Amino acid sequence: MAGDAPLLDVRDLSVSFRSGGRDVPIIENVSFAVCEREILGIVGESGSGKSVTAMAIMRLIDDPGVTLRGSVRFRGQELTTLPQKAFRTIRGREIAMIFQDPMTAFTPVYTVGWQIDEAIRVHERLSKAEARARTVRLLGDMGVPDPERTANRYPHQLSGGLRQRAMIAMALSCNPALLIADEPTTALDVTVQAQILDLLRNLRTDYGSAVMLITHDMGVVAETCDHVMVLYSGRVAERGPAAAIFSQPAHPYTAALLDSIPPLTGPRPTRLPSIAGAPPAPLERPPGCAFAPRCHYAHAACDILPPLVRCAEQEVACVLPGEGKALPPRMTERVEA
Amino acid sequence: MNGPVDTAPPGPWQTAFRALGGNRSAMMALAVLVLIVVLSLIAPFYAHDIAHTDPFRANVAGSFMLDGRAVDIMQANDNPLHLGMTPAGPTWRPSAYMLGSDSQGRDVAARLLYGGRISLLISFSAAVLCIVIASIVGILAGFFGGFVDMVLSRLMDIMWAVPVYLFAISLSIVTISDGLKIGPFTIEADNLLIPIAIIALVYMPYAARPIRGRVMALRNADFVMAARSLGVPRWRILLVDILPNVASSIVVLAPLMAALALLTESALSFLSIGVQTPTASWGTIIQDGEGLIYSRPMVAIAPGLAIVIVVVALNVLGDGLRDALDVRETSKRGT
């Protein structure tokens, strides 16, 4: 997506927690940018720091032992040093967030509509009736059938898909420029998942919102995202346009991730290739490339932390392209939807 | 906080009360409690218009009419030595000395009703006061955590370290002689506020702990995170997201606290460091009956039974409330 200054510009973001007298680094020097109306996918295994990245941007981590370093700029404004009060006007109004489990993201004691009304009225001086009118319209836009009745229902009376739609409606209630979606489809079944992804894709045209989509599902990324950032053990492994990354992954980890998706065409493999081993715990991260212990291509050069280097269309934290031994392109080209 | 609008489906509170209505034992307990409260409320009516006695005046020389005969309230003892006097036993007729007389010739039945007023007033008020203080302490400690939590929790630990009855008895003994002086205000020693405040205070940590725990869990709930991510100010999260969600725990605690408060009140009054004479409470009546336990056991048994019935009813009601208000369970039933 074109755009001169990015909407959100994250530079060298590091988060560490104090635990047992030591600083445990959760994410290290993560940098990325989200442009207006762009969908950025953040992919990684559990514990790779996806959610922590999102929470750090929203400043939702209130652990007393947390240390945050780096810069987060939103429309050129530095967010990390903004006073609490000023930051509250950003939350919800400029950047909103939706969560993995829509069941627990609503308080059980009020109706869904009441909660969305409240979210609107936190930021805008509207009467109850005006807020409710917008709530109903939003729910309708999100494809909720009979929005007026649904608004009067309690969270436990809605299905998972409806709840997630209501959650997105709540996040969009003040028309934020950026929506951070933390695994929005993980708790849903596949058909509903596809509908919700459609909804997210259409947000940029209908609401002009950019989306930061956090997921561990490469299929979801392929279907929705313009750009992808692959995180491994709290560090950026690779980032670039989705099409490039899917057709020609430059990091062995990305390639391995893509290989572990069952192919839709051709002979079915009897056993899907999997990545041997497990990601290192934050304290046991090797000083060099964190993926090296699991990597087929690991060699002496991997003992030094590889910087992000440009390789074709994307940037990759791997020594292979620099050594002229880039990975072969994948057989399956990205199918344009 | 106005909740849903007219056409809304039943909210969690409505659902809970419907569930409670369907719980037969809880409803029975509630009926028993209401009956006892009503009986206590009509105590003056009973004393003046049915039993025709003054339950607060000694009447050792008097007599009352039974089946057209005058019967002495204090009767010659029937032991072989004929030493001392025994008060009249139960007549089982509401018109006079239904449950007999105590050692001062007062109508035990009338005193029982008057005692119920005081005992229930003290225990219910103490429970309410206790729950209010505990909610404030528990919510503040749980929500703000850190330093606030540390100070409040250590304070509660200190209170917890002292056995409840020992604590209550010490406080009562201190306040029993001079009352309580708080700056320019003095609460007289015979003021009911003193036992109420003491009971509320000693049970505060027991109610505050579970509330604090619940708030701590809620503070990390996704919907609190969602509210924060929408820029909702902290005080508003406290009022809108946290408070209604702990309300169910608070409501469940209330009857259990009332039961504990009733037991403590009776104990303090029995030890004559709670309610002061001539005021009657169930505890003081039991104390009156202590010396008559072999000759006229009804004086001690009647208030004892009243305490047992109310405590059991409050516990059954509390269990019913807990079942009815379990939000997680209803959500499972709903979908």
Side-chain angles (χ1 to χ4, degrees), chain B residues 26 71 242 319:
Chain B
V71 180
I242 305 272
D319 281 355

Side-chain angles (χ1 to χ4, degrees), chain A residues 215-282:
Chain A
T215 178
H216 55 246
D217 187 340
M218 276 304 214
V220 168
V221 176
E223 224 174 299
T224 358
C225 299
D226 307 310
H227 280 77
V228 185
M229 174 167 79
V230 181
L231 284 182
Y232 183 79
S233 191
R235 297 171 185 159
V236 180
E238 185 169 10
R239 62 163 192 242
I245 287 190
F246 276 88
S247 60
Q248 197 164 3
H251 197 286
Y253 176 61
T254 321
L257 269 187
L258 291 171
D259 281 339
S260 63
I261 303 172
L264 286 177
T265 52
R268 235 162 218 286
T270 44
R271 225 188 129 87
L272 278 174
S274 61
I275 311 175

Side-chain angles (χ1 to χ4, degrees), chain A residues 55 58 60 62 88 91-92 95 97 99 104-111 114 118-119 122-123 128 152 154 156-157 170, chain B residues 1-5 7-12 222-223 225-226 228-233 236 240-241 244-245 327 331 335:
Chain A
M55 305 274 262
M58 289 298 267
L60 285 175
D62 57 0
R88 268 212 306 269
R91 281 181 187 156
I95 311 178
M97 195 162 175
F99 296 87
T104 54
F106 282 108
T107 155
V109 292
Y110 294 116
T111 61
W114 192 94
E118 279 292 291
V122 164
H123 291 291
K128 283 210 148 122
N152 278 331
Y154 286 86
H156 69 264
Q157 294 167 321
M170 182 153 97
Chain B
M1 220 96 347
N2 33 358
V5 256
T7 54
D222 279 359
F223 57 82
M225 194 70 90
R228 289 177 62 200
S229 79
L230 285 166
V232 182
R236 198 158 171 168
V240 171
D241 291 304
N245 277 295
V327 179
S331 68
T335 39

Side-chain angles (χ1 to χ4, degrees), chain B residues 46-53 64-67 91-98 107:
Chain B
Y46 175 80
H48 289 127
D49 297 322
I50 298 178
H52 307 290
T53 58
F64 60 93
M65 298 300 287
L66 184 68
D67 299 330
T91 61
W92 304 117
R93 258 159 262 191
S95 56
Y97 289 89
M98 179 163 77
D107 185 334

